[in-house]
Amino acid sequence: MARAEAAAAAENDVEHRPANGTNQDPAAAARLKAFYRDMLLIRRFEEKAGQLYGMGLIGGFCHLYIGQEAVVVGMQAALKPEDQVITTYRDHGHMLACGMDPGGVMAELTGRASGYSRGKGGSMHMFSKEKNFFGGHGIVGANVPIGTGLAFANRYKNNGAVCLTYFGDGASNQGQVFESFNMAELWKLPCIYIIENNQYAMGTAVKRSTSEVHMYKRGAAHNIPGEAVDGMDVEAVYAAGRKAVEWARSGNGPYILEMKTYRYRGHSMSDPAKYRTREEVQQMREQHDPIDTVGVRLVRDGIVREEDLKAFDRDVRQIINRAAEFATESPEPGPDELYTDVLK
Amino acid sequence: MTQILMPALSPTMEEGKLAKWHVKEGDAVKAGDILAEIETDKATMEFEAVDEGRIAKILVPEGAEGVKVNEPIAELTQEGEVSDAPPARAAAVAIKVETPAAKAPLPVAPKSNGHAAGLEIPEGVEMVTMTVRDALRDAMAEEMRRDDTVFLMGEEVAQYQGAYKISQGLLEEFGERRVIDTPITEQGFAGLGVGAAFGGLKPIIEFMTFNFAMQAMDQIVNSAAKTLYMSGGQMGCPIVFRGPNGPAARVAAQHSQDFSAWYAQIPGLKVISPYFAADAKGLLKAAIRDPNPVVFLENEIVYGRSFPVPKMDDFVLPIGKARVIRQGSHITLVAHSISVGLIMEAADVLAKEGIEAELIDLRTLRPLDTDTVVESVKKTNRIVTVEQGWPVCSIGAEIAAVVVDQAFDYLDAPPLRITGKDVPMPYAANLERLALPTVDEIVAAAKSALYRN
């Protein structure tokens, strides 16, 4: 959605000329506005998912993306529709960024027949072939060779597509990640590895788990270029994403982007939050929030007015409320679904 | 007005203690502020506000125990809020958990659906003798010729021509785009194969032996086998994992073991383990064409054995069908892979004593063709299973259970199992012999089932 909306906005939506006389590029202004809306959609979706979990309507594990929205929104805008995305289990934001329907995602969270996996996958296992979203994988690090394989298929078919393979700081210590790096560079596969470094693997801080905390250096032993990016700044993410995508698409092989980001909520819903201080979370929220900072920028540069931001929020809340309604009113899968989709 | 409900803070929480309120009536709150501390059986957790507003009323006092999940604990007013959604009236959304079991009959597992189209060997076809090794190579070469999306990847499959020479000549014919040497990195290239299958290719992933596939088990089970189900039927993973399985000779515990039963347990996989060259060829071609992940278990010792193979342009066999390789009326002997050779030898010994054994080669282990086995037992009333794997939760254990379940009244003796012994494979030649099933053991078991000792 981000890429489609941003592109459409760039072409059509130029009514908000900079009011303060700055020479803001209208395409960039429209893009920033689309970023704001897309990030807000993820934020409100996740808040609603948290509510529904609290009400017992969503079960099991549920990992919220709140705080990290700039990463997927910025990266997605750097893609073409034929490019692929794959990630681990903190995946709701990625799906929305890929343009998957919030109602279908929410209905999967509530385990209903109208969910993307007909209620058989849940929060961690969702896919959309149509949107080139390849999951949603529950095993930390296991998606990394799979993403590398999607990139392998791109090169094999010579179709010009790239694969964005997301994983966390925790997964980056898995052996299969290094195995993937080695093969990706060896065979020059068009794969962009995005390490979403939100500082904690569950409750273990990066410095307590990782000998070299600068994870963008992880590719050095394999000759893969890497870069650290302020993952709380959507424009920085977009700029880095474009560069990395261009690198991989041109046949230079893989690229590593370490996104310095932060999750506000617990690892999953049942997180006692004993491993970091309240003040640390508050400080990130108040000073680095990826949505608020863009909101301030939009108003400051005269791209939108304060009231417009409120209107965005109303629109987004409406979309999310409709998704929640859909997700709670849809029926559970029929009992006959138990035995379907085991084999083709 | 929004009701704040007692939250579920873990997958299993049903009630909890409201340990402490961090706000009082009249306080303004914004998203992220801590409202209260909730104590569950696991931990004490802080509970945050998700909306802005003002605490109008606290409904459950501090210290209250046994507060049920979803019970209103406070009321929040939101200024100027356009109350546009039912979830804002949180308490009104009841949890509708259907209990279909009470109304509808329980779903029944479908009969094994692994029967792809395919033929047994038609009559009158010319047969040529070839090794299992060549039959496997021809199967791959033929499928690679007919479909550009099929490729072979594994350790030493290209320049070295295969650690066991199964891929001999394939690099020369298909080039390095389609015959790919990998680093020694099983989990990595198994997962890469899964991704390539998601991306529209049909990978053949060779494990130098299945001993090393344990490093890739997560990718085979969690990624390849389950994704069709977890995606509600959207995805699918057309991939073949193949290589030698089962004890080799004198290589000891880590390189000599049979994983048949492991893979046969996994829903979402098909598992094939042939003995004859014709089955190796026809079933490997079927496996490559199958839209599901297939584990194809070969046997190092069998690679060099020669058998007749039909001379046909496109010989494809159905997956999921056992074959009665010898008719008999006194006892059924069941085996797969190299053990088929053992039951053939045992049948010859038994025949000299006037015992006519019916022999079944399972060929596919998942879906298991239990119909053919049960039919045979209804005729012979006795069964001995033979395999090289360990006895506990073995293929034989499964067959015995099915036979007892479906042909109990036909049995004249308990089903017996001959398996590898329940030990890691020893190195010493004499101990290794003792650890593996023998013809003598099979003959003795058959006679015992016939009460002829």
Side-chain angles (χ1 to χ4, degrees):
Chain A
M1 172 191 54
R3 56 193 171 210
E5 270 192 19
E11 278 169 26
N12 308 321
D13 183 9
V14 288
E15 79 271 29
H16 290 295
R17 293 279 177 194
N20 59 357
T22 60
N23 51 356
Q24 175 88 45
D25 164 19
R31 194 166 52 233
L32 196 60
K33 220 166 69 173
F35 285 163
Y36 184 84
R37 271 201 305 253
D38 291 344
M39 290 194 290
L40 199 60
L41 183 80
I42 295 171
R43 173 74 53 97
R44 296 289 174 250
F45 181 95
E46 295 290 63
E47 287 168 355
K48 185 60 77 181
Q51 277 178 1
L52 296 185
Y53 191 93
M55 292 158 70
L57 287 159
I58 296 173
F61 297 125
C62 183
H63 309 89
L64 302 182
Y65 197 62
I66 295 175
Q68 300 180 215
E69 296 91 343
V71 177
V72 288
V73 167
M75 284 306 300
Q76 199 69 25
L79 293 186
K80 289 183 179 172
E82 64 269 26
D83 297 332
Q84 302 115 339
V85 172
I86 186 167
T87 187
T88 49
Y89 46 75
R90 196 177 304 284
D91 55 358
H92 312 160
H94 302 68
M95 293 187 273
L96 297 178
C98 283
M100 288 167 68
D101 170 51
V105 178
M106 197 69 95
E108 188 59 38
L109 298 187
T110 55
R112 306 305 169 99
S114 49
Y116 266 95
S117 297
R118 296 197 225 164
K120 299 201 287 198
S123 165
M124 302 186 287
H125 319 108
M126 252 183 277
F127 306 83
S128 170
K129 256 193 156 167
E130 183 204 347
K131 302 290 183 189
N132 274 323
F133 178 74
F134 287 85
H137 292 265
I139 307 294
V140 171
N143 66 309
V144 180
I146 300 174
T148 309
L150 286 161
F152 176 89
N154 292 337
R155 201 211 53 169
Y156 189 94
K157 294 193 267 191
N158 199 17
N159 61 10
V162 303
C163 179
L164 294 193
T165 302
Y166 290 91
F167 51 101
D169 45 284
S172 73
N173 289 326
Q174 274 275 1
Q176 54 190 324
V177 172
F178 295 89
E179 297 184 25
S180 300
F181 286 174
N182 180 44
M183 289 185 287
E185 177 65 20
L186 185 67
W187 299 328
K188 298 284 181 201
L189 304 182
C191 195
I192 294 135
Y193 297 106
I194 301 146
I195 304 173
E196 295 195 64
N197 181 357
N198 66 16
Q199 324 295 338
Y200 296 93
M202 266 188 88
T204 306
V206 167
K207 62 178 184 297
R208 294 178 54 230
S209 66
T210 306
S211 53
E212 170 53 86
V213 297
H214 298 295
M215 292 179 170
Y216 69 92
K217 295 181 184 171
R218 277 293 162 94
H222 309 274
N223 294 324
I224 304 175
E227 197 175 318
V229 182
D230 179 358
M232 305 301 273
D233 178 349
V234 68
E235 288 184 293
V237 172
Y238 174 64
R242 282 186 61 149
K243 193 170 126 192
V245 166
E246 174 58 28
W247 173 270
R249 211 189 294 286
S250 312
N252 297 309
Y255 203 97
I256 293 172
L257 293 173
E258 179 193 356
M259 298 290 174
K260 305 267 193 196
T261 182
Y262 200 81
R263 77 171 142 72
Y264 300 168
R265 295 296 185 91
H267 162 72
S268 65
M269 301 307 289
S270 43
D271 179 327
K274 297 296 178 207
Y275 51 87
R276 59 184 183 184
T277 64
R278 195 72 216 163
E279 291 67 37
E280 177 185 307
V281 182
Q282 248 352 83
Q283 194 250 346
M284 286 303 289
R285 266 187 144 129
E286 280 162 15
Q287 294 171 25
H288 301 283
D289 186 77
I291 301 175
D292 288 351
T293 44
V294 171
V296 167
R297 218 175 291 165
L298 284 169
V299 174
R300 182 200 66 200
D301 291 352
I303 298 166
V304 301
R305 291 157 303 176
E306 196 74 53
E307 309 86 89
D308 296 328
L309 296 183
K310 290 224 166 89
F312 288 166
D313 196 45
R314 267 200 306 278
D315 292 349
V316 164
R317 277 180 194 272
Q318 217 160 38
I319 293 168
I320 296 306
N321 286 333
R322 275 202 302 270
E325 246 173 275
F326 176 73
T328 48
E329 285 168 4
S330 299
E332 291 186 307
D336 55 320
E337 280 286 348
L338 182 62
Y339 286 111
T340 58
D341 307 323
V342 177
L343 290 173
K344 266 196 176 173
Chain B
M1 179 82 70
T2 301
Q3 284 189 321
I4 297 172
L5 306 182
M6 180 69 170
L9 296 168
S10 78
T12 49
M13 176 176 166
E14 286 173 6
E15 58 175 43
K17 177 180 175 186
L18 209 162
K20 186 165 187 230
W21 277 109
H22 282 247
V23 291
K24 54 185 191 305
E25 290 179 3
D27 281 359
V29 295
K30 59 183 193 309
D33 287 353
I34 306 168
L35 295 179
E37 279 175 31
I38 311 278
E39 227 174 270
T40 70
D41 47 349
K42 284 185 185 161
T44 303
M45 281 181 272
E46 293 167 340
F47 167 47
E48 296 174 352
V50 289
D51 278 314
E52 273 184 6
R54 197 169 287 280
I55 299 291
K57 201 164 184 193
I58 283 177
L59 302 170
V60 171
E62 198 166 283
E65 295 201 38
V67 185
K68 296 263 181 269
V69 165
N70 272 332
E71 192 179 321
I73 54 173
E75 286 176 359
L76 187 77
T77 45
Q78 288 163 302
E79 41 178 316
E81 172 72 15
V82 268
S83 179
D84 48 6
R89 296 186 297 275
V93 183
I95 305 168
K96 285 176 271 180
V97 178
E98 297 275 327
T99 48
K103 296 177 223 145
L106 283 172
V108 178
K111 201 70 189 151
S112 63
N113 53 350
H115 299 201
L119 301 163
E120 290 300 337
I121 300 169
E123 278 185 39
V125 171
E126 186 195 339
M127 303 296 276
V128 290
T129 299
M130 68 164 69
T131 60
V132 170
R133 171 179 287 117
D134 289 345
L136 290 166
R137 193 231 12 242
D138 286 0
M140 288 193 286
E142 286 177 23
E143 292 308 297
M144 288 175 79
R145 276 176 215 133
R146 72 185 279 280
D147 184 350
D148 181 65
T149 64
V150 178
F151 70 95
L152 173 66
M153 170 176 270
E155 292 156 12
E156 310 294 359
V157 298
Q159 292 195 2
Y160 194 96
Q161 305 288 316
Y164 296 95
K165 298 279 173 277
I166 305 302
S167 53
Q168 206 155 28
L170 296 183
L171 175 65
E172 286 66 28
E173 180 173 354
F174 299 102
E176 57 186 22
R177 171 172 169 263
R178 298 180 66 195
V179 183
I180 303 153
D181 279 328
T182 63
I184 302 170
T185 184
E186 277 79 10
Q187 191 178 18
F189 69 73
L192 188 149
V194 170
F198 289 172
L201 303 183
K202 292 189 182 133
I204 305 169
I205 301 297
E206 176 174 311
F207 292 115
M208 190 180 287
T209 78
F210 264 92
N211 302 292
F212 315 141
M214 273 197 285
Q215 301 234 3
M217 205 52 146
D218 175 62
Q219 291 293 354
I220 299 170
V221 175
N222 270 322
S223 302
K226 293 176 183 168
T227 303
L228 180 69
Y229 195 82
M230 296 193 305
S231 66
Q234 267 190 79
M235 299 285 295
C237 187
I239 190 168
V240 176
F241 298 105
R242 53 154 288 273
N245 170 61
R250 306 296 310 281
V251 290
Q254 291 179 334
H255 288 71
S256 222
Q257 53 198 323
D258 177 359
F259 296 98
S260 301
W262 287 35
Y263 293 105
Q265 225 212 352
I266 307 300
L269 290 181
K270 291 186 179 182
V271 183
I272 298 172
S273 187
Y275 176 63
F276 295 103
D279 294 328
K281 183 174 183 189
L283 286 168
L284 183 53
K285 281 166 68 78
I288 294 166
R289 291 184 199 182
D290 200 280
N292 299 289
V294 180
V295 172
F296 197 92
L297 304 170
E298 300 156 10
N299 185 287
E300 181 191 331
I301 294 166
V302 171
Y303 280 151
R305 295 190 185 171
S306 293
F307 300 103
V309 173
K311 197 173 176 188
M312 290 168 67
D313 287 342
D314 196 20
F315 172 62
V316 184
L317 284 170
I319 297 171
K321 281 245 188 243
R323 188 160 73 93
V324 177
I325 55 177
R326 177 167 169 163
Q327 304 269 348
S329 54
H330 296 142
I331 187 161
T332 302
L333 304 181
V334 178
H336 65 278
S337 190
I338 193 169
S339 303
V340 173
L342 294 183
I343 61 172
M344 289 169 74
E345 282 185 54
D348 289 341
V349 176
L350 291 167
K352 287 182 190 132
E353 302 189 31
I355 298 168
E356 293 304 323
E358 178 147 300
L359 306 185
I360 296 176
D361 176 358
L362 291 169
R363 300 195 292 187
T364 299
L365 302 176
R366 183 182 186 92
L368 192 59
D369 182 3
T370 51
D371 286 353
T372 298
V373 177
V374 169
E375 270 321 296
S376 176
V377 169
K378 284 182 178 174
K379 186 170 80 175
T380 63
N381 314 114
R382 292 166 170 89
I383 182 168
V384 176
T385 66
V386 184
E387 69 197 295
Q388 294 199 306
W390 293 296
V392 182
C393 304
S394 58
I395 300 291
E398 175 64 16
I399 289 175
V402 169
V403 165
V404 167
D405 184 34
Q406 296 182 22
F408 186 75
D409 290 339
Y410 294 87
L411 285 171
D412 288 341
L416 294 176
R417 291 177 289 152
I418 301 296
T419 65
K421 307 304 179 289
D422 204 9
V423 295
M425 183 62 72
Y427 169 70
N430 64 327
L431 295 181
E432 187 183 57
R433 270 195 303 278
L434 287 171
L436 289 168
T438 62
V439 172
D440 288 349
E441 285 175 334
I442 300 165
V443 169
K447 287 210 241 173
S448 142
L450 284 151
Y451 308 106
R452 292 191 19 186
N453 285 321

